[in-house]
Amino acid sequence: MSDSLINEDTLGEVLFQVQDDLRQLRCSLDKITINEGEKTLDVQALDSAIRKTECRIRKHAEDYLKRVTKQPLVLPAIEDLPKKTVKIPKWKPALEGIPNVCPKRSEFLGASPGEKHKSALTMHLLCNPAHPENRVLMQQKCGISLPDVHKRSTNTCQVQVRFICRSITRLLLFIPERTRLIGSKPRHDKHLKWETEPGSTSVRLGRECTPIWSTKTPPPSTTSKSRDHTSLMQYDLTTNNSQNLPVQDSAYISKYSFIIMKGHINPLATDFCLFKQSFCLCWSSVVDPLEALEKLLRDFAVPLARVSGERLVEFAHGWDGSWRKAPPLTSLLSVLENWEEVLGLVVRPGQRYKGEGGTEAAVTHIQSCWRRYLARTAYLRYCRRKWAAQTIAISWLMHNQPRRVRKALQARRFRQLENYRSRAQHLAANWKHIQSSKRTIIHIPSLGFSHSQRQNLRGFHILQNMQLCRLCDIRDENVEVIYVCPRHLGEDILHYYTSLLKCEGVADGTDTSTTQASSCSRRFVILTPEAVDYFPTHNMCLSTLLKYSPRTLKRIQNLIQGKQAYIVGGVAHVDDLAVADELGVPILAPEPAVAQLYSTKSGGRRIFVGAEVDVPPGQGDIYSLNQLHETLAELMAQNIDVQRWLFKMDSEHGGRGTAYCDICHLHCYNWALQEYHRYGPEIWKTEWIQEPVLLRYLDEIPEWLARYARPAKTSCYPTWAGFLKTFLRQGGVVEAYPPSDSVTCLTVDLLLEPGGDVTMLSCGDQLHGSSQLEAMGSTVPQTSVHPDTLNSICMRVGRACLQRLIVGYVSVDLATFVNPHTMEQKVWAIDLDLSYSDQLAMTQTLLMMTGGTLNCRTGCLEVPMPIREKCCERPTAAKPLVVNRYAVIGSHLFHANLSMLYHHVFLKMCKAHGIGFNKERKQGTVFSLYDSMERCNIGMMTVSEDLQGALVTFARNLSVIHQEISAPKMRGETNFKEFIKGIEDALQVTAQNKMPAVEDKTAA
């Protein structure tokens, strides 16, 4: 093995010497004069001969090295050197200085298995530089002191381990093969072999991997022979961060360092030639990083840079050719020994423009900045214009889309209105025929109030269902009823009304009761829109809920298909037209716009004035505070005897929007009354006489109203200030309260037929509670006004409504009193409601239960009583006896404790106390049930032979129910006591009216 190694070293030295001689020969050709002594020398032929010889030598050298290393290698090309020749020392390694670390064979002979295993493990650790014990074993076995590799990041540690492996393999090149533990296998001993990782002992050159220890490097220079080849230097390859740059170590000395002056390398410098000679076999991978480093130093005008050859080679190997992808600056500077100084220059602002091409770079940078500024400015301008255009477009779309929707809605509503008018004309032309034939009435008890009013009403769905007694229209055999209910009714309520409606069959006492009862139950249908479940808390009117309930509309269409039908609504709403248009049926009601115009207090007053009926002194359409004060002052001056003035909102109902103020609190009233008596009633009508009083009133009215005006229902408007604000926003009326201590109000229900006739359907005297401005019930028929007078007033009001295209159901409120000056009875028209009233719904139940007829012209409720004779020879001669009955109606009874009882329990409780209806005597008590969930509101009607008996029965029933459902500690909120107080007042008035009648009869 030693002979082969000596031969290989000798042959390598010879080949290298031949190459060096050829290179010197080529350089000396330039010194020869071409024309010398007129003899021509063919230099080109000589140069070509030398080149051919050089090629053949390179080819033989490559073949020889390939056979030796078993891998193809390429010798470095002979470069053209300048005229200055440099003497390159020959490679004569001193093999004597390298210690023989090969263990003696005698050490392995006769070794125990444990020692063999320990030796094998030791060799394995020597070949694994990454192992922590590798450094200690190298010091003990080979005498080599490796640097201490500290723990760093994963990538850095891997690079350092790879570098140490390569350094160790280079050191092994100087160890003779006879000292290595590879080679022949002994006959009696197992051979030991150093193993290394394949990736750590080869360098990728772009073509194929060659083990580093298999290549023969050129000899070092004479200046480096004295250096310690066994010492290992620590190098750190850089990453993208400047923190990974190598740390300066005072003990570090590079063996192959060279200098770059002002970005240029002196190719003839000794240190560079030594570096190039030492790494000639991998020079192809070093050239490009070196050029990149030179360019970097030239670009930044670096005057001096010391390059570490080992770091440069490691950098080239580490990048593996990827340096073409713009290597990082810090990684490239890591190959410098004075990288800190160079980095300081590189990062200095403006340094780039001092180097090579700095002027052009500055110009380019200035142009790029200016172009960037122009482009950025143009882009920002474009963005602003684009944003402005988008904003304008979105604004236009947001404006245009609602406008298109409004136009579409207006067109649809106009089409619905046209269809309503055409169907109304058809209904008016065929009304007589429709009333005498089979027909279907679709009852929709909708309360089309404004959104603010609906939101402020408590129990709005119960208010809409208080006319459930409309089902009693089926007492006419030609009528079928479809009732649209705003709430889901429970089985108890459905069973109650089914039983109640079957009672009509026994009215005449015949044997056909079963047949008629079954037919009655089939002639009414109760439907609940599915939209009730979708909008449980929105307080929508029933027409709107039905509009958004396609399944219910479809079912109604199926029920009325091929039949004559029309709709009877409640308070008019625009959605009534949509429902009617969807069903294709007419509405027995005025147009929503007409209804909203004349259903206000001011509108009703205009109709009364047009009908030439008496109205209380007052003025409507008040919308400002000054107008209110001036109008009130004039009215008070003209009507000096009026003691109370009323303020009524236009859009409110049921006494909610009413306030009052008594004139007795006015300081100047006594003085004004003296002035009135001084001038007399006739002279007082002159305006100039009233002017001093008027001016005095104007001064005191603001303070008088602020201190003494009171809303009638403080639950709706607690203070006068809040009432006044709403009053002026909605508009309202100022009216005089009747100047009498005894005032009776009555309600008359009219049917304004499309054919032009006016029919009185119901009339009753109102019952009031603690407030005389809120009606809680009524007594039917009315007994306060002469029937002829009442009929005359109602006919005039009905015709005035028909002139204004108002048809359907109308409710008129009147007030009657005795004038204290003339002692004559006066009747004032005080209110007009263009809707189906609660009193009319209860009257339908009264007529169905009694089988009677309400004759408003005579003011009598006529009820037929069958005559049952025991021995009747001629039964056809028997005629039913007609008697008069009186009824007390209360549709707004409320008690919080009623919710604790189910309806069937409540009815059984009433039956146990004798509260019920006698079908034979046609008198007793009938209840109206509205809701299955809360069960706090009910309606009640008592029928008796006289008015006093009906009032007493009603009060007794309320007292019994209150005692049964109330405990001493749980009274609950109720209006039963107020109702009882109103009944007591009515009983006193009735007793007073009977006394003159008895005296007249006695005198007669």
Side-chain angles (χ1 to χ4, degrees):
M1 292 179 62
S2 60
D3 296 339
S4 61
L5 180 60
I6 295 173
N7 295 333
E8 291 176 7
D9 294 341
T10 304
L11 182 59
E13 184 178 358
V14 172
L15 291 175
F16 185 79
Q17 183 64 39
V18 172
Q19 278 188 304
D20 185 48
D21 295 341
L22 291 175
R23 187 184 297 108
Q24 292 182 3
L25 180 60
R26 289 181 57 191
C27 293
S28 61
L29 289 177
D30 298 335
K31 302 178 182 180
I32 300 175
T33 304
I34 297 177
N35 294 324
E36 183 178 354
E38 298 182 358
K39 293 181 181 180
T40 302
L41 180 61
D42 192 356
V43 180
Q44 295 182 356
L46 182 60
D47 184 69
S48 60
I50 295 174
R51 287 182 182 276
K52 290 179 182 180
T53 305
E54 182 183 358
C55 292
R56 283 195 293 268
I57 293 174
R58 183 184 298 111
K59 183 176 180 302
H60 290 299
E62 289 178 358
D63 294 340
Y64 169 74
L65 292 176
K66 185 176 181 180
R67 286 194 300 268
V68 174
T69 61
K70 297 182 181 180
Q71 290 188 14
L73 294 176
V74 179
L75 291 176
I78 301 175
E79 300 179 356
D80 295 334
L81 299 177
K83 294 182 179 181
K84 182 180 178 181
T85 59
V86 180
K87 181 179 180 181
I88 300 177
K90 297 182 180 180
W91 182 32
K92 295 181 180 180
L95 299 180
E96 300 83 11
I98 300 178
N100 188 0
V101 297
C102 181
K104 298 180 181 180
R105 181 167 304 192
S106 60
E107 297 179 2
F108 293 93
L109 296 178
S112 63
E115 294 179 352
K116 293 180 180 179
H117 176 71
K118 184 177 181 180
S119 301
L121 180 61
T122 302
M123 294 300 105
H124 178 72
L125 295 179
L126 286 173
C127 298
N128 186 9
H131 198 275
E133 301 295 333
N134 179 266
R135 181 171 174 273
V136 179
L137 291 177
M138 288 295 294
Q139 177 69 26
Q140 295 177 357
K141 299 293 183 179
C142 303
I144 299 175
S145 179
L146 296 179
D148 188 9
V149 181
H150 299 282
K151 293 184 179 180
R152 294 173 185 163
S153 61
T154 305
N155 297 334
T156 307
C157 291
Q158 292 178 357
V159 174
Q160 291 175 350
V161 168
R162 189 182 302 113
F163 177 77
I164 294 172
C165 291
R166 291 169 181 167
S167 302
I168 295 175
T169 53
R170 287 200 190 97
L171 291 175
L172 293 178
L173 291 175
F174 300 96
I175 302 176
E177 291 188 4
R178 63 178 177 271
T179 62
R180 302 183 190 179
L181 298 179
I182 58 174
S184 62
K185 178 179 179 181
R187 280 182 289 178
H188 303 287
D189 303 321
K190 297 180 181 180
H191 92 278
L192 300 178
K193 185 176 181 181
W194 287 2
E195 297 178 357
T196 57
E197 297 180 3
S200 62
T201 57
S202 61
V203 181
R204 186 174 301 273
L205 299 177
R207 292 177 291 274
E208 57 184 351
C209 296
T210 303
I212 298 179
W213 57 78
S214 62
T215 59
K216 302 302 183 293
T217 58
S221 62
T222 57
T223 58
S224 61
K225 286 183 180 181
S226 61
R227 296 183 182 178
D228 186 7
H229 295 282
T230 61
S231 63
L232 295 177
M233 301 294 124
Q234 181 179 357
Y235 301 97
D236 192 6
L237 295 180
T238 62
T239 59
N240 293 336
N241 297 326
S242 60
Q243 296 177 357
N244 295 326
L245 288 169
V247 182
Q248 294 290 347
D249 189 0
S250 58
Y252 174 79
I253 300 176
S254 177
K255 295 186 296 184
Y256 305 105
S257 62
F258 56 92
I259 297 175
I260 301 179
M261 298 289 293
K262 297 182 180 179
H264 295 281
I265 299 175
N266 185 5
L268 300 179
T270 305
D271 50 0
F272 179 74
C273 293
L274 176 61
F275 165 71
K276 186 176 181 181
Q277 179 182 356
S278 301
F279 297 96
C280 61
L281 300 182
C282 57
W283 186 255
S284 58
S285 61
V286 178
V287 171
D288 293 326
L290 188 59
E291 292 179 354
L293 181 61
E294 287 184 287
K295 186 177 185 306
L296 175 66
L297 299 176
R298 289 196 302 270
D299 291 343
F300 288 91
V302 178
L304 176 65
R306 293 190 300 274
V307 182
S308 174
E310 293 86 342
R311 293 180 185 176
L312 181 59
V313 173
E314 290 300 325
F315 173 77
H317 292 166
W319 278 94
D320 196 12
S322 61
W323 53 268
R324 296 184 180 89
K325 300 179 181 179
L329 178 63
T330 55
S331 299
L332 196 58
L333 294 180
S334 65
V335 302
L336 302 178
E337 295 180 354
N338 60 336
W339 62 268
E340 292 181 347
E341 301 175 2
V342 175
L343 183 62
L345 289 175
V346 170
V347 299
R348 182 184 297 175
Q351 185 66 25
R352 170 65 187 91
Y353 310 118
K354 297 180 181 179
E356 185 179 48
T359 304
E360 292 78 2
V363 171
T364 304
H365 183 69
I366 293 173
Q367 290 179 350
S368 64
C369 292
W370 175 248
R371 290 171 183 171
R372 181 181 61 183
Y373 169 75
L374 293 179
R376 181 65 177 173
T377 304
Y379 175 72
L380 293 177
R381 189 186 303 111
Y382 165 76
C383 290
R384 287 194 295 269
R385 292 179 178 178
K386 183 179 179 181
W387 173 82
Q390 291 176 350
T391 303
I392 295 173
I394 293 175
S395 301
W396 171 249
L397 292 176
M398 295 294 290
H399 169 75
N400 199 26
Q401 182 66 18
R403 189 179 66 170
R404 287 198 301 266
V405 173
R406 283 194 296 268
K407 286 185 177 180
L409 290 176
Q410 290 175 359
R412 180 182 297 179
R413 291 175 179 174
F414 181 76
R415 184 177 65 253
Q416 293 171 357
L417 183 60
E418 292 295 325
N419 295 338
Y420 160 81
R421 291 173 179 172
S422 62
R423 296 191 188 99
Q425 294 177 358
H426 176 76
L427 182 65
N430 300 277
W431 179 251
K432 297 296 183 182
H433 172 70
I434 293 174
Q435 287 296 100
S436 60
S437 61
K438 289 185 177 296
R439 60 194 181 276
T440 301
I441 302 177
I442 305 173
H443 282 285
I444 307 176
S446 175
L447 298 180
F449 300 138
S450 63
H451 177 74
S452 59
Q453 289 177 325
R454 286 186 277 110
Q455 294 298 322
N456 294 329
L457 286 175
R458 186 181 66 175
F460 181 70
H461 58 281
I462 298 177
L463 294 177
Q464 292 189 116
N465 203 33
M466 283 186 175
Q467 298 180 6
L468 191 57
C469 296
R470 292 191 189 190
L471 294 171
C472 296
D473 283 346
I474 63 173
R475 62 192 179 90
D476 187 349
E477 296 180 354
N478 295 327
V479 174
E480 294 181 358
V481 174
I482 299 176
Y483 181 83
V484 182
C485 183
R487 289 295 295 269
H488 295 286
L489 299 180
E491 293 295 334
D492 50 354
I493 294 183
L494 295 176
H495 177 72
Y496 174 77
Y497 278 101
T498 302
S499 303
L500 188 68
L501 296 176
K502 289 180 181 179
C503 294
E504 185 205 4
V506 300
D508 54 357
T510 60
D511 296 335
T512 60
S513 60
T514 304
T515 305
Q516 292 183 1
S518 61
S519 64
C520 287
S521 62
R522 292 193 301 268
R523 286 191 289 113
F524 74 91
V525 179
I526 300 177
L527 301 177
T528 302
E530 64 267 20
V532 172
D533 301 327
Y534 305 151
F535 309 101
T537 60
H538 288 70
N539 280 6
M540 290 184 176
C541 67
L542 188 56
S543 298
T544 304
L545 293 174
L546 184 58
K547 174 184 175 182
Y548 296 116
S549 303
R551 291 199 298 269
T552 305
L553 291 175
K554 185 64 177 179
R555 186 175 179 186
I556 295 176
Q557 288 177 350
N558 296 334
L559 291 174
I560 65 176
Q561 188 173 6
K563 300 178 183 180
Q564 293 182 352
Y566 59 89
I567 294 176
V568 176
V571 179
H573 192 270
V574 291
D575 288 336
D576 295 342
L577 302 181
V579 173
D581 191 62
E582 186 70 23
L583 298 176
V585 295
I587 304 177
L588 187 59
E591 297 180 10
V594 175
Q596 292 176 3
L597 177 63
Y598 291 105
S599 62
T600 61
K601 301 298 186 292
S602 301
R605 187 177 179 85
R606 286 194 294 268
I607 291 180
F608 294 148
V609 173
E612 298 180 353
V613 297
D614 292 337
V615 293
Q619 181 66 40
D621 298 321
I622 296 177
Y623 293 95
S624 64
L625 187 60
N626 292 332
Q627 184 184 4
L628 173 64
H629 293 165
E630 293 175 359
T631 302
L632 184 58
E634 292 178 1
L635 292 174
M636 291 170 59
Q638 294 172 4
N639 303 274
I640 199 71
D641 57 338
V642 175
Q643 299 296 317
R644 174 175 289 184
W645 291 93
L646 304 179
F647 308 92
K648 299 180 180 179
M649 294 183 186
D650 274 342
S651 302
E652 288 291 353
H653 67 285
R656 288 170 50 88
T658 305
Y660 64 92
C661 191
D662 296 329
I663 200 172
C664 62
H665 300 290
L666 196 62
H667 297 296
C668 63
Y669 177 68
N670 293 330
W671 170 79
L673 195 60
Q674 293 175 3
E675 292 292 318
Y676 172 76
H677 289 302
R678 188 171 63 130
Y679 289 104
E682 297 297 331
I683 301 177
W684 185 256
K685 295 180 181 179
T686 308
E687 294 183 0
W688 65 271
I689 297 294
Q690 301 174 4
E691 186 174 357
V693 177
L694 178 64
L695 295 177
R696 188 80 175 268
Y697 279 166
L698 284 175
D699 293 338
E700 296 187 8
I701 279 177
E703 183 181 357
W704 171 63
L705 290 177
R707 293 184 61 183
Y708 299 104
R710 296 290 183 270
K713 294 190 70 172
T714 55
S715 60
C716 302
Y717 300 96
T719 61
W720 164 253
F723 177 89
L724 181 62
K725 182 179 180 180
T726 308
F727 178 88
L728 297 177
R729 184 177 66 250
Q730 294 184 0
V733 174
V734 177
E735 287 183 350
Y737 188 80
S740 176
D741 295 335
S742 178
V743 180
T744 302
C745 298
L746 61 152
T747 302
V748 182
D749 292 297
L750 307 177
L751 173 60
L752 308 181
E753 300 179 1
D757 297 334
V758 180
T759 305
M760 295 178 62
L761 300 179
S762 175
C763 58
D765 295 328
Q766 294 181 3
L767 294 175
H768 302 275
S770 58
S771 174
Q772 294 294 325
L773 304 177
E774 180 183 3
M776 301 183 65
S778 60
T779 61
V780 179
Q782 64 86 24
T783 57
S784 56
V785 179
H786 194 275
D788 294 336
T789 304
L790 182 62
N791 184 67
S792 174
I793 294 174
C794 292
M795 291 300 108
R796 282 181 288 174
V797 172
R799 286 191 292 269
C801 291
L802 289 173
Q803 291 176 1
R804 290 164 176 81
L805 302 179
I806 299 175
V807 296
Y809 295 93
V810 174
S811 179
V812 182
D813 290 344
L814 306 173
T816 179
F817 62 97
V818 177
N819 191 341
H821 300 290
T822 61
M823 299 304 295
E824 295 179 356
Q825 185 182 17
K826 299 195 67 174
V827 180
W828 285 352
I830 58 176
D831 198 6
L832 178 67
D833 291 329
L834 307 182
S835 61
Y836 200 104
S837 68
D838 297 338
Q839 175 182 287
L840 180 57
M842 295 294 290
T843 303
Q844 297 294 337
T845 305
L846 172 64
L847 298 179
M848 181 174 180
M849 296 301 297
T850 60
T853 304
L854 181 60
N855 191 346
C856 295
R857 290 182 178 273
T858 60
C860 297
L861 175 60
E862 300 173 351
V863 178
M865 297 293 292
I867 300 177
R868 298 180 181 273
E869 296 182 358
K870 297 181 180 179
C871 298
C872 182
E873 297 178 357
R874 295 183 301 175
T876 57
K879 296 182 179 179
L881 179 63
V882 178
V883 297
N884 293 333
R885 289 287 185 266
Y886 293 87
V888 178
I889 296 172
S891 57
H892 294 269
L893 299 176
F894 174 81
H895 202 299
N897 293 345
L898 284 172
S899 61
M900 297 185 300
L901 300 178
Y902 289 101
H903 289 311
H904 67 278
V905 178
F906 170 76
L907 295 175
K908 289 181 180 179
M909 180 194 70
C910 294
K911 185 177 180 180
H913 288 82
I915 302 175
F917 188 80
N918 192 328
K919 301 176 184 178
E920 295 182 356
R921 299 182 60 183
K922 304 296 180 65
Q923 62 183 7
T925 305
V926 179
F927 293 98
S928 294
L929 307 179
Y930 305 137
D931 183 39
S932 299
M933 300 295 294
E934 299 179 6
R935 301 186 301 276
C936 295
N937 297 82
I938 61 172
M940 186 172 65
M941 176 182 64
T942 58
V943 183
S944 183
E945 296 177 355
D946 56 359
L947 179 59
Q948 187 175 4
L951 290 171
V952 171
T953 304
F954 200 98
R956 173 185 172 274
N957 292 344
L958 291 180
S959 179
V960 170
I961 294 173
H962 177 70
Q963 291 177 2
E964 287 294 328
I965 65 178
S966 299
K969 295 183 180 180
M970 187 179 62
R971 291 295 178 181
E973 183 181 357
T974 181
N975 61 355
F976 283 11
K977 295 182 179 180
E978 297 178 3
F979 216 112
I980 293 174
K981 183 179 182 301
I983 291 175
E984 291 176 353
D985 296 340
L987 287 173
Q988 293 178 2
V989 174
T990 303
Q992 293 175 2
N993 293 337
K994 280 188 177 182
M995 291 177 61
V998 173
E999 293 177 356
D1000 292 343
K1001 288 182 180 180
T1002 303

